[in-house]
Amino acid sequence: MKEEIYMSQEALFPGAMATQHPDNSREYVGIQQEPEEAFAILADPEEGGLGIPEMMIDFEGKLTPYHQTGQIALGLIARGKVPGRDLHLTPRIPNARKEPVFRQLMSLMSLVETNVLAYGQSGIQAITETIVPMIEKGEEVIAVARRIASVMELGTRDEGLSLPPGRIRVIPLLESVPALIRAGEILSAYAGYLEEEDGVSPDSLRIMLARSDSAMSYGMASSVLAIRLGLSGLRRFSEEKGISIGPILGCGSLPFRGGLREDSLKEVLDTYPGVRTFTIQSGLRYDHGPEAARAVAARLSREAWKTEAPLLSGEEEAFLKECIGLFTLAYIPLFSALLPSVEALAPYLPKNRDRLTGSKKELQYIREMAELGELAEMVRDPGLKEALLSLPQDFQASVPRAISFTASLYTLGLPPEFMGTGRGLEAVRQRFGMEGVEALLRHYPGLKGDLERALPYVNLSMGEGMASSQALSLYMEDLALSREILGLEEQPAPELYHLLLQSSRPILLHLTGRQGDILESREEEEKVLREWMMKMGTIRGSLG
């Protein structure tokens, strides 16, 4: 019986989803190139494609043209592959609370138009789901669902348009630690809305869990543990309601952003049992190459649907929440201290997709910080609650995107994987003993491997003069404690990488106003720096 359930989930939920994230070092992919990119990604390996069965077309924070969704859908039909039957097209639309509401409305109209056009050619609804980012509560999902229904009605009202069957369902994307922990509750609210609309419970639902943004806001360990809690809640909800749930994990190639790559795939699957779909982002496809991406996608298609999230007891949940509180408490002060350095460096990173500006004017894309009040409510210990609420929240620099954040810190010689991790581990050891650390590692079995993969890229001398003495002191403490508590094995440092890193240091100091002229012109300096950054990203397997 269980095998039948697994097989049905394999058909419902593709193991891999390709995305348009700009985390690659190699290749600039402009919006005009993205349709051909999608065709190559979705094509079968025998045809030279990657064989990835699902594609996210991304409107969030990105200059994706209105017509791209239809262009890809109709292009696939012309190639003999019908979206909605042979493969999945799953756009991500903006959150109307974070970007102008008109961008969400235009994105939705694009999806409706695509369905009308594709349905006219194939008789199949091309797009059945859309991802909505930065969801915090079930009410937000319901509000988007109602807006989709209104736009579908508007878009198909004119005479001569055929109404495709069925609605476009919402896939909520959860990006904060409190939202990840409440994943089951959020999806339950949406399921209740659908049941009220249709008179029956839905057979299946999907939800997306973000590794990158939750790690940037709360620290890597907090992100992983919150996802483990969320997966447990989703399984409990699934069993109580009899609804198949397909969690999607949004993850990149570097450990801080999920660590999905060919050489760490077993650890990723062990760390996230119950995830049905993993994102294969641009870093894996371009910096690791098509063969690696093809191999990862094939293995995910074979194995991702076989795992089941463990059902956590009340005591296990309480333990993990306390650990999240301790890791976040260690992470936020270092995040705050490093943020000005990240903000100064981020503008010089290579831009390999057409993105919206990060400013808070006009066409805006806004990233917000950790919800420490909500997190404090989830921990038991009064002292820990008070400490979390006393953490700084008034940062003197803007919050970047997770890819820029990660790439900037690698360029500073300070891989973010260690931020707050060592002191968080020490806090767990002090409170729960080594038994607590061992229990923690059972819930995050890939932690040691993640840190060991980041270790060769640490270069503390690079950070001198670029980061504050307070930040460097906290980082060195994290590094030392991680090595001691987990017994990290030293990894060989790539010589070319560190040569490029040290060579870029004088240029970075000049461009950020910390040193005098290096080359004849600022433009020449920026060009050289970007070339070296691209090469370093290629060596480590992703820009950020």
Side-chain angles (χ1 to χ4, degrees):
M1 183 66 176
K2 181 170 277 192
E3 188 67 17
E4 289 177 10
I5 293 171
Y6 282 152
M7 291 302 290
S8 67
Q9 290 188 346
E10 180 189 20
L12 276 173
F13 311 127
M17 170 196 284
T19 74
Q20 296 173 334
H21 283 82
D23 62 332
N24 53 303
S25 298
R26 298 179 183 176
E27 301 285 336
Y28 171 81
V29 186
I31 53 178
Q32 298 302 325
Q33 299 165 273
E34 286 174 342
E36 288 298 327
E37 177 193 43
F39 302 144
I41 286 168
L42 297 165
D44 295 331
E46 308 83 67
E47 302 168 348
L50 299 185
I52 298 174
E54 183 168 21
M55 181 79 206
M56 176 201 289
I57 300 165
D58 203 356
F59 289 93
E60 186 209 8
K62 193 167 166 288
L63 290 171
T64 304
Y66 166 87
H67 64 270
Q68 188 181 102
T69 314
Q71 193 177 1
I72 292 174
L74 297 180
L76 288 166
I77 293 170
R79 288 163 171 78
K81 283 188 175 287
V82 177
R85 184 191 72 192
D86 303 325
L87 45 81
H88 296 243
L89 286 184
T90 312
R92 176 165 67 171
I93 64 173
N95 184 312
R97 293 188 303 109
K98 306 294 182 179
E99 295 185 44
V101 66
F102 295 105
R103 277 185 45 75
Q104 186 184 79
L105 290 169
M106 291 299 291
S107 302
L108 287 173
M109 191 61 79
S110 167
L111 310 193
V112 174
E113 180 190 55
T114 298
N115 274 350
V116 169
L117 295 173
Y119 188 69
Q121 292 194 16
S122 68
I124 300 289
Q125 182 174 337
I127 294 167
T128 58
E129 298 170 311
T130 185
I131 299 163
V132 182
M134 298 187 238
I135 293 293
E136 295 288 335
K137 299 175 182 176
E139 292 80 3
E140 294 176 52
V141 189
I142 295 168
V144 175
R146 288 180 173 143
R147 182 169 290 155
I148 290 172
S150 297
V151 172
M152 287 184 71
E153 181 185 358
L154 176 65
T156 56
R157 186 183 297 163
D158 293 341
E159 186 178 353
L161 293 181
S162 299
L163 178 64
R167 63 165 58 87
I168 297 173
R169 280 193 179 166
V170 179
I171 300 175
L173 169 51
L174 315 183
E175 303 183 40
S176 75
V177 159
L180 289 167
I181 292 171
R182 297 195 306 266
E185 298 171 28
I186 290 170
L187 209 55
S188 176
Y190 182 43
Y193 163 79
L194 292 174
E195 184 173 358
E196 185 177 325
E197 289 288 299
D198 299 339
V200 293
S201 293
D203 294 328
S204 64
L205 288 172
R206 299 175 83 189
I207 188 168
M208 192 166 182
L209 313 174
R211 261 291 278 107
S212 298
D213 290 292
S214 55
M216 184 185 73
S217 297
Y218 299 81
M220 184 174 73
S222 296
S223 169
V224 174
L225 299 181
I227 288 169
R228 295 278 296 206
L229 283 161
L231 290 170
S232 174
L234 289 168
R235 180 181 170 186
R236 186 170 286 109
F237 165 66
S238 173
E239 293 182 354
E240 287 173 358
K241 294 293 186 179
I243 301 171
S244 292
I245 304 298
I248 305 164
L249 186 70
C251 53
S253 295
L254 294 178
F256 189 74
R257 296 189 56 246
L260 182 67
R261 47 201 294 167
E262 196 173 8
D263 61 0
S264 60
L265 190 49
K266 182 183 184 305
E267 286 181 16
V268 171
L269 289 168
D270 288 345
T271 299
Y272 306 105
V275 169
R276 296 287 172 252
T277 307
F278 294 80
T279 61
I280 296 185
Q281 298 183 6
S282 304
L284 177 55
R285 300 198 307 272
Y286 292 107
D287 295 328
H288 292 253
E291 286 303 321
R294 206 173 282 125
V296 169
R299 186 170 172 191
L300 289 172
S301 293
R302 291 194 305 269
E303 298 183 27
W305 52 275
K306 294 180 179 179
T307 64
E308 204 65 78
L311 284 171
L312 302 176
S313 68
E315 279 306 307
E316 287 176 309
E317 289 182 355
F319 168 71
L320 290 184
K321 288 174 183 176
E322 296 293 298
C323 289
I324 289 170
L326 294 171
F327 278 106
T328 303
L329 189 63
Y331 176 82
I332 294 292
L334 182 49
F335 174 90
S336 174
L338 282 172
L339 201 53
S341 302
V342 170
E343 185 182 41
L345 193 154
Y348 304 105
L349 292 168
K351 305 292 190 288
N352 285 327
R353 298 273 175 174
D354 297 316
R355 305 281 290 183
L356 286 182
T357 176
S359 74
K360 297 190 177 184
K361 296 178 181 178
E362 298 169 357
L363 285 180
Q364 58 187 333
Y365 176 85
I366 301 172
R367 215 15 111 186
E368 293 178 353
M369 254 314 295
E371 294 287 345
L372 296 177
E374 289 188 61
L375 181 58
E377 287 301 311
M378 294 180 174
V379 302
R380 284 180 176 177
D381 181 74
L384 181 54
K385 285 179 189 287
E386 186 178 345
L388 286 167
L389 291 172
S390 70
L391 285 171
Q393 286 281 273
D394 184 21
F395 301 119
Q396 300 304 308
S398 61
V399 179
R401 296 183 176 97
I403 293 168
S404 297
F405 179 79
T406 306
S408 296
L409 285 164
Y410 267 92
T411 307
L412 290 171
L414 307 173
E417 288 80 357
F418 292 96
M419 289 174 58
T421 304
R423 286 172 293 122
L425 283 166
E426 176 62 11
V428 171
R429 181 167 67 174
Q430 290 290 331
R431 184 167 297 208
F432 301 106
M434 274 309 293
E435 297 84 358
V437 174
E438 290 163 7
L440 167 70
L441 294 176
R442 286 194 291 273
H443 294 286
Y444 188 174
L447 176 58
K448 184 178 179 183
D450 281 347
L451 295 178
E452 287 179 342
R453 273 181 278 277
L455 192 55
Y457 304 104
V458 173
N459 190 320
L460 295 174
S461 64
M462 184 68 189
E464 293 175 5
M466 287 294 298
S468 68
S469 57
Q470 176 202 7
L472 286 175
S473 175
L474 290 172
Y475 190 92
M476 287 189 284
E477 188 179 354
D478 278 328
L479 185 63
L481 286 167
S482 297
R483 280 175 160 149
E484 183 245 313
I485 295 171
L486 297 180
L488 300 183
E489 297 178 19
E490 296 297 326
Q491 307 296 312
E495 290 184 17
L496 176 59
Y497 183 91
H498 287 278
L499 177 62
L500 290 168
L501 200 63
Q502 290 291 355
S503 299
S504 68
R505 176 178 158 78
I507 297 177
L508 282 171
L509 287 169
H510 172 233
L511 290 175
T512 55
R514 294 169 169 88
Q515 188 170 298
D517 292 353
I518 305 299
L519 301 178
E520 290 185 4
S521 73
R522 190 180 185 92
E523 291 76 15
E524 188 179 354
E525 286 183 353
E526 290 184 15
K527 180 182 177 183
V528 169
L529 179 62
R530 285 195 174 94
E531 287 176 359
W532 289 348
M533 285 177 166
M534 287 172 66
K535 182 61 179 176
M536 287 188 285
T538 302
I539 291 170
R540 64 180 178 257
S542 185
L543 179 65

